[in-house]
């Protein structure tokens, strides 16, 4: 009887441990992490009143290059205030949707500039997922009904690019 009780305890603990491992794995996959965030500073700038002075050669875009469980990402030609200080990026992953929010630290200047930003997303979903990209205010708040991009991404394609 004593050995039967010990076996039941061991089996129960093993079941809990294996369940918690898979739950932990799901949590890690569902919580992508941002690292290596860098920006170029102002590449070009213009008076916010005179929007025609903005370079028409540089069109904004977003790119992702997949490598295992990571994605190297780039925003090219973001339209930011000259006093932006730095580009901030947050990610959220829920129900098969990866949400990326980019936003500046400040927004008080009367001029605008083009900024490139790069970063790595670790623990990227390994299958198809819906990607939504938003431009947030200086606190990172965004309008959920108005993504600047929304579409399906396939990791197996190796890369992804879209106008932004």
């Amino acid at each position: 009887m004593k050995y039967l009780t010990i076996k039941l305890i061991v089996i129960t603990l093993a079941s809990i441990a294996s369940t918690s491992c898979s739950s932990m794995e799901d949590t890690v996959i569902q919580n992508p992490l941002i690292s290596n965030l860098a920006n170029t500073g102002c590449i070009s700038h213009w008076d916010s009143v005179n929007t025609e002075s903005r370079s028409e050669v540089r069109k904004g875009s977003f790119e992702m290059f997949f490598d295992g469980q990571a994605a190297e990402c780039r925003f090219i030609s973001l339209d930011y205030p000259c006093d932006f200080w730095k580009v901030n990026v947050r990610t959220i992953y829920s129900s098969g949707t990866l949400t990326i929010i980019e936003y500046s630290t400040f927004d008080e200047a009367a001029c605008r500039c083009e900024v490139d930003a790069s970063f790595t997303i670790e623990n990227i979903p390994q299958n198809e997922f819906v990607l939504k990209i938003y431009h947030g205010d200086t606190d990172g708040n965004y309008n959920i009904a108005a993504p600047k991009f929304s579409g399906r991404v396939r990791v197996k394609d190796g890369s992804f690019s879209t106008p932004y």
Side-chain angles (χ1 to χ4, degrees), residues 1-25:
M1 183 68 178
K2 181 178 178 181
Y3 293 108
L4 181 60
T5 305
I6 292 174
K7 280 185 178 182
L8 283 173
I9 291 172
V10 169
I11 291 171
T12 303
L13 289 176
S15 297
I16 291 171
S18 67
T19 303
S20 66
C21 289
S22 64
S23 296
M24 181 61 82
E25 182 179 313

PDB file of all heavy atoms in Angstrom, residues 1-25:
ATOM      1  N   MET A   1       0.823  -1.187   0.000  1.00  0.00           N
ATOM      2  CA  MET A   1       0.000   0.000   0.000  1.00  0.00           C
ATOM      3  C   MET A   1       0.869   1.254   0.000  1.00  0.00           C
ATOM      4  O   MET A   1       0.567   2.224  -0.684  1.00  0.00           O
ATOM      5  CB  MET A   1      -0.924  -0.050   1.230  1.00  0.00           C
ATOM      6  CG  MET A   1      -1.878   1.078   1.298  1.00  0.00           C
ATOM      7  SD  MET A   1      -3.067   0.909  -0.033  1.00  0.00           S
ATOM      8  CE  MET A   1      -4.067   2.259   0.279  1.00  0.00           C
ATOM      9  N   LYS A   2       1.948   1.190   0.792  1.00  0.00           N
ATOM     10  CA  LYS A   2       2.851   2.319   0.898  1.00  0.00           C
ATOM     11  C   LYS A   2       3.480   2.616  -0.467  1.00  0.00           C
ATOM     12  O   LYS A   2       3.589   3.774  -0.873  1.00  0.00           O
ATOM     13  CB  LYS A   2       3.915   2.010   1.946  1.00  0.00           C
ATOM     14  CG  LYS A   2       4.887   3.117   2.167  1.00  0.00           C
ATOM     15  CD  LYS A   2       5.868   2.734   3.262  1.00  0.00           C
ATOM     16  CE  LYS A   2       6.893   3.805   3.467  1.00  0.00           C
ATOM     17  NZ  LYS A   2       7.847   3.459   4.488  1.00  0.00           N
ATOM     18  N   TYR A   3       3.890   1.555  -1.194  1.00  0.00           N
ATOM     19  CA  TYR A   3       4.526   1.737  -2.499  1.00  0.00           C
ATOM     20  C   TYR A   3       3.522   2.247  -3.530  1.00  0.00           C
ATOM     21  O   TYR A   3       3.869   3.033  -4.416  1.00  0.00           O
ATOM     22  CB  TYR A   3       5.157   0.425  -2.975  1.00  0.00           C
ATOM     23  CG  TYR A   3       6.326   0.027  -2.107  1.00  0.00           C
ATOM     24  CD1 TYR A   3       6.238  -1.045  -1.234  1.00  0.00           C
ATOM     25  CD2 TYR A   3       7.508   0.743  -2.165  1.00  0.00           C
ATOM     26  CE1 TYR A   3       7.299  -1.402  -0.434  1.00  0.00           C
ATOM     27  CE2 TYR A   3       8.580   0.395  -1.368  1.00  0.00           C
ATOM     28  CZ  TYR A   3       8.482  -0.677  -0.499  1.00  0.00           C
ATOM     29  OH  TYR A   3       9.528  -1.017   0.276  1.00  0.00           O
ATOM     30  N   LEU A   4       2.288   1.824  -3.415  1.00  0.00           N
ATOM     31  CA  LEU A   4       1.240   2.301  -4.317  1.00  0.00           C
ATOM     32  C   LEU A   4       1.007   3.806  -4.119  1.00  0.00           C
ATOM     33  O   LEU A   4       0.867   4.553  -5.093  1.00  0.00           O
ATOM     34  CB  LEU A   4      -0.064   1.521  -4.067  1.00  0.00           C
ATOM     35  CG  LEU A   4      -1.246   1.900  -4.967  1.00  0.00           C
ATOM     36  CD1 LEU A   4      -0.897   1.667  -6.429  1.00  0.00           C
ATOM     37  CD2 LEU A   4      -2.462   1.092  -4.581  1.00  0.00           C
ATOM     38  N   THR A   5       1.001   4.252  -2.897  1.00  0.00           N
ATOM     39  CA  THR A   5       0.835   5.675  -2.594  1.00  0.00           C
ATOM     40  C   THR A   5       2.004   6.480  -3.151  1.00  0.00           C
ATOM     41  O   THR A   5       1.811   7.539  -3.749  1.00  0.00           O
ATOM     42  CB  THR A   5       0.719   5.890  -1.070  1.00  0.00           C
ATOM     43  OG1 THR A   5      -0.343   5.091  -0.567  1.00  0.00           O
ATOM     44  CG2 THR A   5       0.475   7.346  -0.740  1.00  0.00           C
ATOM     45  N   ILE A   6       3.219   5.965  -2.976  1.00  0.00           N
ATOM     46  CA  ILE A   6       4.416   6.655  -3.492  1.00  0.00           C
ATOM     47  C   ILE A   6       4.359   6.719  -5.017  1.00  0.00           C
ATOM     48  O   ILE A   6       4.655   7.757  -5.614  1.00  0.00           O
ATOM     49  CB  ILE A   6       5.703   5.959  -2.999  1.00  0.00           C
ATOM     50  CG1 ILE A   6       5.842   6.154  -1.489  1.00  0.00           C
ATOM     51  CG2 ILE A   6       6.922   6.498  -3.720  1.00  0.00           C
ATOM     52  CD1 ILE A   6       6.988   5.398  -0.855  1.00  0.00           C
ATOM     53  N   LYS A   7       3.946   5.617  -5.667  1.00  0.00           N
ATOM     54  CA  LYS A   7       3.826   5.620  -7.129  1.00  0.00           C
ATOM     55  C   LYS A   7       2.807   6.656  -7.596  1.00  0.00           C
ATOM     56  O   LYS A   7       3.042   7.367  -8.565  1.00  0.00           O
ATOM     57  CB  LYS A   7       3.414   4.234  -7.633  1.00  0.00           C
ATOM     58  CG  LYS A   7       4.531   3.247  -7.724  1.00  0.00           C
ATOM     59  CD  LYS A   7       4.012   1.964  -8.338  1.00  0.00           C
ATOM     60  CE  LYS A   7       5.121   0.948  -8.492  1.00  0.00           C
ATOM     61  NZ  LYS A   7       4.662  -0.279  -9.132  1.00  0.00           N
ATOM     62  N   LEU A   8       1.671   6.734  -6.908  1.00  0.00           N
ATOM     63  CA  LEU A   8       0.650   7.721  -7.267  1.00  0.00           C
ATOM     64  C   LEU A   8       1.181   9.140  -7.117  1.00  0.00           C
ATOM     65  O   LEU A   8       0.937  10.010  -7.977  1.00  0.00           O
ATOM     66  CB  LEU A   8      -0.606   7.538  -6.415  1.00  0.00           C
ATOM     67  CG  LEU A   8      -1.509   6.377  -6.800  1.00  0.00           C
ATOM     68  CD1 LEU A   8      -2.623   6.205  -5.786  1.00  0.00           C
ATOM     69  CD2 LEU A   8      -2.100   6.614  -8.184  1.00  0.00           C
ATOM     70  N   ILE A   9       1.927   9.391  -6.066  1.00  0.00           N
ATOM     71  CA  ILE A   9       2.503  10.727  -5.848  1.00  0.00           C
ATOM     72  C   ILE A   9       3.512  11.042  -6.949  1.00  0.00           C
ATOM     73  O   ILE A   9       3.503  12.139  -7.523  1.00  0.00           O
ATOM     74  CB  ILE A   9       3.149  10.832  -4.444  1.00  0.00           C
ATOM     75  CG1 ILE A   9       2.048  10.795  -3.374  1.00  0.00           C
ATOM     76  CG2 ILE A   9       3.980  12.107  -4.325  1.00  0.00           C
ATOM     77  CD1 ILE A   9       2.562  10.698  -1.951  1.00  0.00           C
ATOM     78  N   VAL A  10       4.376  10.095  -7.276  1.00  0.00           N
ATOM     79  CA  VAL A  10       5.383  10.299  -8.321  1.00  0.00           C
ATOM     80  C   VAL A  10       4.716  10.543  -9.680  1.00  0.00           C
ATOM     81  O   VAL A  10       5.099  11.456 -10.417  1.00  0.00           O
ATOM     82  CB  VAL A  10       6.357   9.096  -8.379  1.00  0.00           C
ATOM     83  CG1 VAL A  10       7.239   9.163  -9.618  1.00  0.00           C
ATOM     84  CG2 VAL A  10       7.209   9.040  -7.120  1.00  0.00           C
ATOM     85  N   ILE A  11       3.704   9.758 -10.005  1.00  0.00           N
ATOM     86  CA  ILE A  11       2.990   9.918 -11.275  1.00  0.00           C
ATOM     87  C   ILE A  11       2.297  11.282 -11.320  1.00  0.00           C
ATOM     88  O   ILE A  11       2.346  11.981 -12.334  1.00  0.00           O
ATOM     89  CB  ILE A  11       1.978   8.764 -11.493  1.00  0.00           C
ATOM     90  CG1 ILE A  11       2.749   7.457 -11.749  1.00  0.00           C
ATOM     91  CG2 ILE A  11       1.025   9.072 -12.630  1.00  0.00           C
ATOM     92  CD1 ILE A  11       1.874   6.225 -11.756  1.00  0.00           C
ATOM     93  N   THR A  12       1.679  11.672 -10.221  1.00  0.00           N
ATOM     94  CA  THR A  12       1.005  12.971 -10.163  1.00  0.00           C
ATOM     95  C   THR A  12       2.008  14.114 -10.338  1.00  0.00           C
ATOM     96  O   THR A  12       1.774  15.041 -11.112  1.00  0.00           O
ATOM     97  CB  THR A  12       0.259  13.138  -8.827  1.00  0.00           C
ATOM     98  OG1 THR A  12      -0.668  12.061  -8.675  1.00  0.00           O
ATOM     99  CG2 THR A  12      -0.472  14.470  -8.764  1.00  0.00           C
ATOM    100  N   LEU A  13       3.137  14.043  -9.638  1.00  0.00           N
ATOM    101  CA  LEU A  13       4.167  15.081  -9.760  1.00  0.00           C
ATOM    102  C   LEU A  13       4.746  15.123 -11.173  1.00  0.00           C
ATOM    103  O   LEU A  13       4.982  16.203 -11.725  1.00  0.00           O
ATOM    104  CB  LEU A  13       5.274  14.868  -8.731  1.00  0.00           C
ATOM    105  CG  LEU A  13       4.899  15.147  -7.277  1.00  0.00           C
ATOM    106  CD1 LEU A  13       6.053  14.793  -6.349  1.00  0.00           C
ATOM    107  CD2 LEU A  13       4.493  16.593  -7.098  1.00  0.00           C
ATOM    108  N   ALA A  14       4.957  13.973 -11.775  1.00  0.00           N
ATOM    109  CA  ALA A  14       5.479  13.927 -13.141  1.00  0.00           C
ATOM    110  C   ALA A  14       4.480  14.543 -14.119  1.00  0.00           C
ATOM    111  O   ALA A  14       4.854  15.267 -15.046  1.00  0.00           O
ATOM    112  CB  ALA A  14       5.802  12.489 -13.540  1.00  0.00           C
ATOM    113  N   SER A  15       3.200  14.261 -13.906  1.00  0.00           N
ATOM    114  CA  SER A  15       2.163  14.850 -14.763  1.00  0.00           C
ATOM    115  C   SER A  15       2.127  16.371 -14.620  1.00  0.00           C
ATOM    116  O   SER A  15       2.038  17.102 -15.611  1.00  0.00           O
ATOM    117  CB  SER A  15       0.784  14.289 -14.421  1.00  0.00           C
ATOM    118  OG  SER A  15       0.744  12.915 -14.677  1.00  0.00           O
ATOM    119  N   ILE A  16       2.218  16.848 -13.407  1.00  0.00           N
ATOM    120  CA  ILE A  16       2.218  18.298 -13.166  1.00  0.00           C
ATOM    121  C   ILE A  16       3.445  18.930 -13.807  1.00  0.00           C
ATOM    122  O   ILE A  16       3.355  19.974 -14.461  1.00  0.00           O
ATOM    123  CB  ILE A  16       2.159  18.597 -11.651  1.00  0.00           C
ATOM    124  CG1 ILE A  16       0.791  18.192 -11.090  1.00  0.00           C
ATOM    125  CG2 ILE A  16       2.457  20.070 -11.375  1.00  0.00           C
ATOM    126  CD1 ILE A  16       0.695  18.235  -9.585  1.00  0.00           C
ATOM    127  N   ALA A  17       4.602  18.295 -13.644  1.00  0.00           N
ATOM    128  CA  ALA A  17       5.837  18.839 -14.213  1.00  0.00           C
ATOM    129  C   ALA A  17       5.774  18.893 -15.730  1.00  0.00           C
ATOM    130  O   ALA A  17       6.167  19.891 -16.346  1.00  0.00           O
ATOM    131  CB  ALA A  17       7.035  18.006 -13.761  1.00  0.00           C
ATOM    132  N   SER A  18       5.279  17.844 -16.369  1.00  0.00           N
ATOM    133  CA  SER A  18       5.221  17.849 -17.833  1.00  0.00           C
ATOM    134  C   SER A  18       4.201  18.860 -18.336  1.00  0.00           C
ATOM    135  O   SER A  18       4.407  19.519 -19.349  1.00  0.00           O
ATOM    136  CB  SER A  18       4.904  16.452 -18.376  1.00  0.00           C
ATOM    137  OG  SER A  18       3.595  16.063 -18.026  1.00  0.00           O
ATOM    138  N   THR A  19       3.106  19.018 -17.623  1.00  0.00           N
ATOM    139  CA  THR A  19       2.107  20.014 -18.004  1.00  0.00           C
ATOM    140  C   THR A  19       2.656  21.415 -17.824  1.00  0.00           C
ATOM    141  O   THR A  19       2.477  22.277 -18.678  1.00  0.00           O
ATOM    142  CB  THR A  19       0.825  19.847 -17.161  1.00  0.00           C
ATOM    143  OG1 THR A  19       0.337  18.524 -17.327  1.00  0.00           O
ATOM    144  CG2 THR A  19      -0.234  20.850 -17.561  1.00  0.00           C
ATOM    145  N   SER A  20       3.357  21.655 -16.729  1.00  0.00           N
ATOM    146  CA  SER A  20       3.893  22.995 -16.502  1.00  0.00           C
ATOM    147  C   SER A  20       4.982  23.324 -17.505  1.00  0.00           C
ATOM    148  O   SER A  20       5.132  24.464 -17.904  1.00  0.00           O
ATOM    149  CB  SER A  20       4.414  23.142 -15.069  1.00  0.00           C
ATOM    150  OG  SER A  20       5.527  22.294 -14.861  1.00  0.00           O
ATOM    151  N   CYS A  21       5.746  22.348 -17.962  1.00  0.00           N
ATOM    152  CA  CYS A  21       6.760  22.604 -18.980  1.00  0.00           C
ATOM    153  C   CYS A  21       6.120  23.036 -20.286  1.00  0.00           C
ATOM    154  O   CYS A  21       6.565  23.982 -20.912  1.00  0.00           O
ATOM    155  CB  CYS A  21       7.630  21.369 -19.219  1.00  0.00           C
ATOM    156  SG  CYS A  21       8.750  21.026 -17.846  1.00  0.00           S
ATOM    157  N   SER A  22       5.077  22.346 -20.702  1.00  0.00           N
ATOM    158  CA  SER A  22       4.437  22.744 -21.954  1.00  0.00           C
ATOM    159  C   SER A  22       3.747  24.089 -21.794  1.00  0.00           C
ATOM    160  O   SER A  22       3.747  24.893 -22.707  1.00  0.00           O
ATOM    161  CB  SER A  22       3.459  21.673 -22.439  1.00  0.00           C
ATOM    162  OG  SER A  22       2.415  21.518 -21.525  1.00  0.00           O
ATOM    163  N   SER A  23       3.188  24.367 -20.642  1.00  0.00           N
ATOM    164  CA  SER A  23       2.591  25.675 -20.410  1.00  0.00           C
ATOM    165  C   SER A  23       3.655  26.749 -20.420  1.00  0.00           C
ATOM    166  O   SER A  23       3.456  27.839 -20.957  1.00  0.00           O
ATOM    167  CB  SER A  23       1.857  25.708 -19.070  1.00  0.00           C
ATOM    168  OG  SER A  23       0.787  24.800 -19.092  1.00  0.00           O
ATOM    169  N   MET A  24       4.812  26.464 -19.842  1.00  0.00           N
ATOM    170  CA  MET A  24       5.908  27.424 -19.841  1.00  0.00           C
ATOM    171  C   MET A  24       6.388  27.665 -21.266  1.00  0.00           C
ATOM    172  O   MET A  24       6.650  28.795 -21.662  1.00  0.00           O
ATOM    173  CB  MET A  24       7.060  26.906 -18.968  1.00  0.00           C
ATOM    174  CG  MET A  24       8.223  27.867 -18.907  1.00  0.00           C
ATOM    175  SD  MET A  24       7.777  29.455 -18.188  1.00  0.00           S
ATOM    176  CE  MET A  24       7.877  29.038 -16.486  1.00  0.00           C
ATOM    177  N   GLU A  25       6.481  26.614 -22.073  1.00  0.00           N
ATOM    178  CA  GLU A  25       6.897  26.751 -23.468  1.00  0.00           C
ATOM    179  C   GLU A  25       5.915  27.635 -24.231  1.00  0.00           C
ATOM    180  O   GLU A  25       6.311  28.523 -24.980  1.00  0.00           O
ATOM    181  CB  GLU A  25       6.979  25.376 -24.112  1.00  0.00           C
ATOM    182  CG  GLU A  25       7.450  25.391 -25.550  1.00  0.00           C
ATOM    183  CD  GLU A  25       7.540  23.986 -26.112  1.00  0.00           C
ATOM    184  OE1 GLU A  25       8.106  23.112 -25.437  1.00  0.00           O
ATOM    185  OE2 GLU A  25       7.041  23.783 -27.224  1.00  0.00           O
TER     186      GLU A  25
END
